[in-house]
């Protein structure tokens, strides 16, 4: 195995270089490896004993904990030589020959290969001796020398197999190459912050070396092993290595060991890199995996059938593999593929195939069965006709010497049968899907969609809902402070620093500069006159921008208070919604600076700085007034409001820093800053397109509800006057959870259809919403949900969604790992392009199907009928294979590479249950088949008279090709070429040429096919059973072909009704293909007549229900009138009736008495005045939707109409 040998060489190289004690460094690879295998307190003790702490280790590695390495290339090269590079040698790609061998395993191709070999073998068979041909029957005649061309059929079949195999293998090869390109692209995108020469720089992960000082922060996926030098509130998810899901707290005193492939879930810090590449923990696992791969592959080959998918070794391999892949920066070339395969194997139970693949597989099987049946009948008919004609009609005896000639006849019949099967089996289907997906993925890369899982591209076409983040996706993610409230004044623009009290200004400067990640900074623009570059957290950059706008600088403050001197940091997380930093002041006391969401922070403030910068009391009513007068107006303008506050603590006693409830309270508010994040200019248009396309866009954000609503209106997610919901996370949870705090699907179903904005939401809320929408059964079609995410905590929602989009720029590595598609420009309009491409894949396959099935139907019927009527197929085997090549390989290329158009966004999504072949397509297939059959049969039975040529029917076994049959073949191919243009449109559009020149591949293939056809007819001769035609006959063939275009217009005018019999082809049958949750899907294709019929039934049942209830009511009254009102059972008689087995209402909602007993009492009074009793079903409309009524026949037979005597009796009562 390539990767094993590579990595072992790599390892050996590293081992060799250890002997000279690591080339001038104070520790060898082996020492560092064994050090990294220690955990927790053992590790701390060992670092202390052997190296004198982390500083000692740094000096042994010739690096500085604060300045990092120097940028000297010689030093970096030496480190790579001694300690290895931070890459893992990728697995060798499959060779082209291996891919060819894989393509040959296809069942339909195996059938073709067998047929070809049989045909070849029999063509070389010559009858022994010089048997008199005449005695063997009239049809056995023919010219000598024709037999020599017999081998051509077999050879041509083999040639077509070779063509299909090469095209498939080439596709796989280019796909794998593309995939590696994709991985390299992802690889280059993952950068990591390290300190070199005292400057923080971002380097590609592969450039990291042992001794580098790396800065780690929330959301990072660690690319190397390292030891923590300094950390703030650092928590790591080590589940990819250990399987333990709990987050591990890391600090320098207790557990400083950081391992590659693990995720930073909270906090920040700095580490010294101690192991890279194959020597890191993930690299070691990966090397072991490589060693196991060879045995795995052997086992796989032997025991593939016996293995249970998703068993433990598999899962373990997947997990380690994933960890290892994350190492190669983020994913190596091998990474993606293993990931794909492993994912599929582990998730076998979840969903074997994508929706489209499921439908196509089923359709291919159906067509294959039909083809097999037709080919068998063709062979049987040919054999029977021949036997009856020769031995019964001509009455010839079976002569031994004639046996070979009879066998040749039977072989010819078998070849015709096999050819029919070959034409019927749509081996182009998988090819079309492959081409279409590969083409789409390549083009989507240009549209800023990096597709990680192929089927996500197609699923996106079916999306019905998109849950999008606000910041960075709908907005530009370039934060600018535009308003602020400071010293009791609300400034609508950034104030002049002279207008502010110096004390307040000083506290604000320190609070912003110190209480933010030191990795966030503002750099001068690369372009002259451009906007300054924002690096790091964009909200913090907005606040740092405010510092610069107030003519101050944050760098001197940071230099004065370097990160090492920060006493305690409470990093931002979704639970706190704030960040706080504690510093020790010169007099020994402590000051904590805090910033966070304004309404949350103000609740924790009990004082505020006044107009002279002194704290004054801040009461709850002051807070409410501030919310009303400052925060809400800011939020309504779409600004994000951030509150900056601080608190002082005495030197003694030192506070309990872990008691957050005490620490993060009693704050002094300094300022509320309004930060603007403008909506991306292209977003409103993109959202409008989504809404026209039947996709609901929902905004899920952590921002204030007013800000979120303002942005949603600007984006066009909500329009004033519409019926929609904008709620925050608290209200959302109140509505969907029951008393026990559990989410109820029934409650969720009342919320999500109208929900458009979910503000102040936690990642859990996002996951709950996505799960609730996907699991909902209240709509006929299961919702297909796409989700965008950038944070580490978005992982679960991204995984749960049908398609997860991660942000390429702002997204954390963890989010990218969980996603299906990475948006390289973080832009919402790229999602719309993904929808377009997804729908295009589906339409491309449908176009190809429409074309192919027309050819299939015609070719099979022509071969079959010809065989029955003329004892020979009008289309010869080699000609059929040429047609097969046109319609399979070429057409799949031409039709599967159609570029998407805006019109794709003007229709609603197809459901998961919609048949692949719509009624319009069925109409086109049948219509064009009828036209082609009429032309071909006219030419077959009257062609010789029309063109005044010799008839080609009933020719003997090896007779020369005839002009008659050449015209039939040529006209047939011309009709296919023009029908290929018709097949470009599948929704009944009239202009089939629209956009044809935007697809150069299509034009090339059509013109190429015409050129080849001319060559075959004029020069093909015996191998293709053709005779050269003159220009007049050519013009006729082209004219008949062009008739297809006119006929297509005629078909477009025929309405779709009455064509329901072929509609279910390719639809997933509910029991075998679909996961249970998808069964109650698409309602779109329900016929209107059917709907009317259902409505009629419902109305009829409702009428019956009313009448029967009225009768019962009358009887109840009658009995109460005659037997006395005080009988208790008469009061409930109607309820007794309702529980009667003859009348049930099967409904999921809780049963309520349909008529309240109180109503009956008042009913008696009403009846004195001749009023009708209240209807038992107050909300009759409810029956329309969900209530199934079951009425027994005996009941309905005896029911009476409203005009009956009973009705009048009841009214008079």
């Amino acid at each position: 195995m390539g990767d094993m040998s590579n990595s072992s060489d790599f390892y050996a190289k590293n081992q060799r270089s250890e002997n000279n004690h690591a080339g001038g460094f104070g520790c060898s690879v082996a020492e560092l490896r064994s050090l990294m295998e220690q955990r927790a307190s053992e590790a701390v003790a060992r670092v202390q004993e052997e190296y004198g702490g982390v500083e000692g280790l740094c000096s042994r590695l010739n690096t500085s904990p604060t300045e990092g390495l120097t940028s000297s290339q010689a030093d970096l090269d030496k480190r790579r030589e001694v300690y290895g590079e931070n890459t893992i040698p990728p697995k060798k790609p499959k060779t082209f020959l291996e891919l060819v061998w894989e393509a040959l395993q296809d069942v339909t191709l195996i059938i073709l290969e067998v047929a070809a070999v049989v045909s070849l073998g029999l063509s070389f068979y010559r009858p022994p001796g010089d048997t008199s041909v005449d005695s063997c029957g009239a049809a056995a005649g023919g010219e000598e020398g024709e037999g020599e061309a017999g081998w051509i059929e077999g050879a041509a079949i083999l040639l077509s197999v070779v063509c299909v195999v090469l095209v498939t293998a080439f596709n796989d090869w280019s796909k794998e190459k593309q995939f590696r390109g994709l991985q390299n692209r992802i690889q280059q995108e993952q950068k990591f912050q390290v300190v070199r020469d005292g400057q923080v720089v971002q380097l590609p992960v592969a450039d990291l070396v042992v001794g580098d000082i790396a800065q780690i922060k929330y959301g990072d996926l660690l690319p190397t092993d390292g030891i923590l030098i300094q950390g703030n509130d650092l928590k790591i998810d080590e589940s990819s290595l250990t399987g333990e899901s709990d987050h591990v707290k890391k600090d320098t005193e207790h557990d400083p060991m950081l391992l590659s492939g693990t995720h930073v879930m909270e906090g920040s810090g700095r580490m010294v890199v101690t192991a890279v590449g194959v020597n890191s923990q993930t690299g070691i696992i990966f090397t072991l995996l490589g060693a196991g791969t060879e045995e795995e592959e052997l086992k796989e080959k032997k025991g593939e059938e016996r293995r249970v998918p998703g068993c433990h070794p598999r899962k373990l391999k997947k997990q380690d593999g994933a960890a290892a892949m994350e190492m190669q920066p983020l994913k190596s070339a091998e990474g993606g593929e293993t990931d794909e395969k492993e994912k599929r194997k582990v998730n076998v139970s979840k969903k074997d195939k994508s929706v489209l693949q499921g439908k196509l597989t089923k359709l291919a099987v159906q067509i294959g069965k039909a083809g097999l049946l037709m080919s068998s009948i063709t062979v049987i008919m040919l054999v029977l006709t021949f036997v009856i004609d020769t031995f019964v009609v001509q009455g010839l005896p079976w002569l031994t010497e004639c046996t070979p000639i009879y066998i040749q006849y039977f072989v010819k019949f078998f070849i015709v049968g096999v050819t029919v099967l070959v034409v019927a089996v749509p081996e182009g289907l998988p090819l079309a899907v492959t081409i279409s997906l590969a083409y789409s993925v390549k083009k989507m890369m240009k549209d800023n969609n990096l597709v990680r899982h192929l089927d996500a591209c197609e699923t996106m076409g079916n999306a019905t809902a998109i849950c999008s983040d606000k910041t960075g996706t709908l907005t530009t993610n370039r934060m600018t402070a535009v308003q602020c409230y400071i010293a009791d004044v609300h400034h609508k623009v950034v104030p002049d620093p002279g207008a502010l009290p110096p004390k307040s200004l000083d506290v604000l400067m320190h609070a912003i500069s110190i209480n933010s990640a030191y990795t966030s900074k503002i750099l001068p623009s690369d372009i002259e006159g451009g906007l300054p570059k924002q690096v790091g957290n964009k909200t913090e950059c907005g606040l740092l921008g405010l510092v610069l706008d107030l003519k101050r600088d944050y760098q001197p403050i940071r230099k004065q208070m370097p990160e090492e001197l920060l006493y305690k940091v409470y990093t931002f997380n979704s639970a706190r919604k704030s960040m706080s930093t504690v510093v020790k002041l010169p007099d020994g006391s402590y000051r904590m600076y805090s910033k966070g969401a304004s309404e949350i922070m103000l609740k924790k403030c009990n004082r505020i700085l006044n107009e002279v910068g002194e704290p004054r009391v801040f009461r709850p009513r002051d807070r409410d007034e501030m919310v009303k007068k400052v925060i809400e107006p800011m939020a309504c303008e779409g600004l994000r409001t951030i509150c900056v506050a601080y608190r002082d603590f005495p030197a003694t006693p030192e506070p309990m820093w872990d008691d957050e409830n005490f620490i993060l309270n009693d704050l002094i508010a300094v300022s509320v800053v309004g930060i603007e994040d403008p909506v991306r200019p292209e977003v409103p248009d993109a959202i409008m397109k989504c809404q026209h396309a039947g996709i609901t866009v929902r905004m899920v954000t952590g921002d204030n509800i007013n800000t979120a609503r303002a942005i949603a209106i600007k984006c066009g997610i909500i329009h004033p006057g519409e019926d929609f919901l904008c709620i925050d996370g608290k209200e959302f949870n109140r509505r969907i959870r029951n008393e026990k705090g559990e989410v109820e699907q029934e409650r969720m179903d009342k919320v999500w259809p109208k929900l458009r904005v979910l503000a102040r939401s936690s990642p859990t809320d996002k996951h709950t919403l996505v799960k609730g929408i996907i699991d909902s059964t209240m709509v006929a079609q299961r919702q297909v949900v796409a989700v965008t995410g950038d944070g580490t905590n978005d992982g679960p929602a991204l995984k749960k969604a049908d398609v997860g989009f991660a942000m390429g720029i702002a997204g954390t590595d963890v989010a990218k790992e969980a996603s299906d598609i990475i948006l390289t420009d973080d832009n919402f309009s790229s999602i719309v392009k993904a929808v377009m491409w997804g729908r295009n894949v589906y339409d491309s396959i449908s176009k190809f199907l429409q074309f192919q099935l027309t050819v299939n139907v015609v070719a099979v019927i022509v071969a079959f009928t010809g065989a029955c009527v003329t004892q020979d197929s009008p289309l010869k085997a080699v000609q059929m294979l040429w047609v097969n090549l046109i319609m399979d390989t070429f057409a799949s290329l031409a039709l599967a590479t159609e570029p998407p158009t805006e019109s794709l966004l003007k229709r609603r999504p197809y459901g998961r249950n919609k048949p692949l072949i719509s009624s319009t397509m069925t109409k086109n297939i049948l219509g064009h088949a009828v036209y082609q059959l009429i032309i071909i049969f006219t030419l077959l039975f009257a062609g010789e008279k029309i063109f005044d040529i010799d008839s080609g029917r009933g020719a003997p076994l090896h007779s020369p090709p005839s002009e008659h049959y050449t015209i039939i073949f040529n006209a047939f191919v011309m009709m296919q070429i023009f029908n290929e243009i018709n097949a470009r449109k599948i929704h009944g559009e009239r202009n089939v040429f629209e956009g044809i020149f935007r697809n150069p591949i299509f034009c090339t293939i059509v013109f190429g096919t015409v050129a080849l056809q001319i060559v075959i007819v004029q020069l093909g001769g015996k191998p293709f059973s053709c005779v050269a035609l003159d220009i007049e006959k050519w013009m006729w063939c082209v004219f008949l072909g062009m008739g297809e275009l006119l006929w297509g217009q005629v078909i477009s005018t025929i309405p779709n009704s009455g064509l329901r019999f072929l509609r279910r082809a390719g639809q997933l049958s509910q029991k075998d293909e679909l996961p249970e949750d998808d069964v109650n899907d698409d309602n779109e294709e329900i016929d209107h007549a059917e709907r009317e019929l259902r409505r009629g039934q419902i109305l009829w049942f409702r009428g019956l229900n009313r009448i029967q209830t009225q009768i019962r009511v009358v009887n109840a009254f009658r009995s109460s009138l005659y037997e006395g009102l005080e009988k208790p059972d008469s009061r409930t008689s109607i309820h007794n009736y309702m529980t009667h087995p003859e009348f049930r209402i099967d409904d999921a909602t809780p049963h309520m008495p349909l008529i309240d007993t109180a109503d009956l009492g008042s009913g008696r009074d009403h009846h004195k005045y001749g009023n009708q009793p209240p209807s038992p079903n107050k909300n009759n409309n409810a029956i329309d939707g969900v209530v199934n009524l079951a009425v027994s026949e005996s009941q309905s037979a005896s029911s009476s109409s409203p005009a009956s005597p009973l009705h009048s009796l009841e009214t008079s009562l």
Side-chain angles (χ1 to χ4, degrees), residues 107 185 316 1003 1192:
V107 181
R185 171 106 182 246
L316 176 73
C1003 301
S1192 81

mmCIF file of all heavy atoms in Angstrom, residues 107 185 316 1003 1192:
data_model
loop_
_atom_site.group_PDB
_atom_site.id
_atom_site.type_symbol
_atom_site.label_atom_id
_atom_site.label_comp_id
_atom_site.label_asym_id
_atom_site.label_seq_id
_atom_site.Cartn_x
_atom_site.Cartn_y
_atom_site.Cartn_z
ATOM 1 N N VAL A 107 -22.950 -4.799 -14.094
ATOM 2 C CA VAL A 107 -23.692 -5.996 -14.541
ATOM 3 C C VAL A 107 -24.100 -5.892 -16.003
ATOM 4 O O VAL A 107 -23.925 -6.824 -16.789
ATOM 5 C CB VAL A 107 -24.960 -6.208 -13.673
ATOM 6 C CG1 VAL A 107 -25.713 -7.439 -14.119
ATOM 7 C CG2 VAL A 107 -24.562 -6.331 -12.221
ATOM 8 N N ARG A 185 -7.530 22.518 -2.022
ATOM 9 C CA ARG A 185 -8.116 23.853 -1.835
ATOM 10 C C ARG A 185 -8.506 24.037 -0.364
ATOM 11 O O ARG A 185 -8.230 25.051 0.246
ATOM 12 C CB ARG A 185 -9.336 23.947 -2.754
ATOM 13 C CG ARG A 185 -10.190 25.135 -2.550
ATOM 14 C CD ARG A 185 -10.023 26.155 -3.663
ATOM 15 N NE ARG A 185 -10.845 27.298 -3.385
ATOM 16 C CZ ARG A 185 -11.886 27.659 -4.122
ATOM 17 N NH1 ARG A 185 -12.188 26.979 -5.198
ATOM 18 N NH2 ARG A 185 -12.604 28.714 -3.808
ATOM 19 N N LEU A 316 -14.768 2.632 14.776
ATOM 20 C CA LEU A 316 -13.521 3.105 15.342
ATOM 21 C C LEU A 316 -12.651 3.663 14.229
ATOM 22 O O LEU A 316 -12.118 4.739 14.315
ATOM 23 C CB LEU A 316 -12.808 1.930 16.023
ATOM 24 C CG LEU A 316 -11.440 2.277 16.578
ATOM 25 C CD1 LEU A 316 -11.631 3.119 17.814
ATOM 26 C CD2 LEU A 316 -10.647 1.034 16.895
ATOM 27 N N CYS A 1003 -23.662 21.432 -28.437
ATOM 28 C CA CYS A 1003 -23.519 21.732 -29.874
ATOM 29 C C CYS A 1003 -22.465 20.834 -30.512
ATOM 30 O O CYS A 1003 -22.673 20.258 -31.581
ATOM 31 C CB CYS A 1003 -23.141 23.195 -30.069
ATOM 32 S SG CYS A 1003 -24.352 24.318 -29.365
ATOM 33 N N SER A 1192 -70.980 3.285 9.005
ATOM 34 C CA SER A 1192 -71.324 1.931 8.572
ATOM 35 C C SER A 1192 -72.427 1.995 7.519
ATOM 36 O O SER A 1192 -73.217 2.925 7.471
ATOM 37 C CB SER A 1192 -71.812 1.100 9.762
ATOM 38 O OG SER A 1192 -73.158 1.413 10.008
#
